[in-house]
Amino acid sequence: QVQLVESGGGLVQAGGSLRLSCAASGRTFSSHAVAWFRQGPGKEREFVAGISLSGGSTYYTDSVKGRFTLSRDSAKNTVYLQMNNLKPEDTAVYYCQGGASGDPDEYDQWGRGTQVTVSS
């Protein structure tokens, strides 16, 4: 079973950048697509971005297109979410999952996530 640990969150001003990491242990990421989700205050958990098993395809929700970029480093067993031009509405706890589905209800277990706070 893949265990995932999210990191890299923090407090940043609007327009700033952060790079989130999703590190896998127990089993390699190489057999999994990876999806990122977020849950803002008082909001439902939502899909943010996904990267294919090979890393050759990436998918983004409309609100982050052009600002967020996914990449994966198989040697480090890590997937990165580079977030640029952050906006206050990006404030949320960010989670990663080993899977291709963008439906959060299809995942049974969630890690602690990493908090991203964007000040205006």
Side-chain angles (χ1 to χ4, degrees):
Q1 181 178 356
V2 176
Q3 293 182 322
L4 307 176
V5 178
E6 305 93 345
S7 63
L11 173 63
V12 64
Q13 288 187 331
S17 298
L18 286 172
R19 189 177 78 160
L20 306 186
S21 299
C22 176
S25 63
R27 228 168 68 178
T28 66
F29 257 149
S30 61
S31 59
H32 294 269
V34 174
W36 281 91
F37 298 84
R38 67 185 179 186
Q39 188 166 17
K43 297 181 180 179
E44 298 285 324
R45 192 168 291 169
E46 64 174 352
F47 171 78
V48 176
I51 187 166
S52 65
L53 191 155
S54 69
S57 297
T58 52
Y59 312 89
Y60 303 93
T61 193
D62 286 346
S63 61
V64 309
K65 283 181 182 176
R67 301 188 297 121
F68 290 13
T69 304
L70 269 174
S71 61
R72 66 191 304 162
D73 186 334
S74 298
K76 294 184 178 180
N77 227 16
T78 301
V79 169
Y80 301 101
L81 180 65
Q82 177 67 43
M83 308 187 298
N84 297 328
N85 191 22
L86 282 161
K87 303 177 180 181
E89 52 263 42
D90 295 318
T91 295
V93 179
Y94 285 71
Y95 305 87
C96 61
Q97 286 284 6
S101 176
D103 182 354
D105 291 337
E106 294 198 7
Y107 300 94
D108 294 328
Q109 295 182 355
W110 294 85
R112 292 185 175 182
T114 186
Q115 175 71 49
V116 171
T117 303
V118 184
S119 63
S120 57

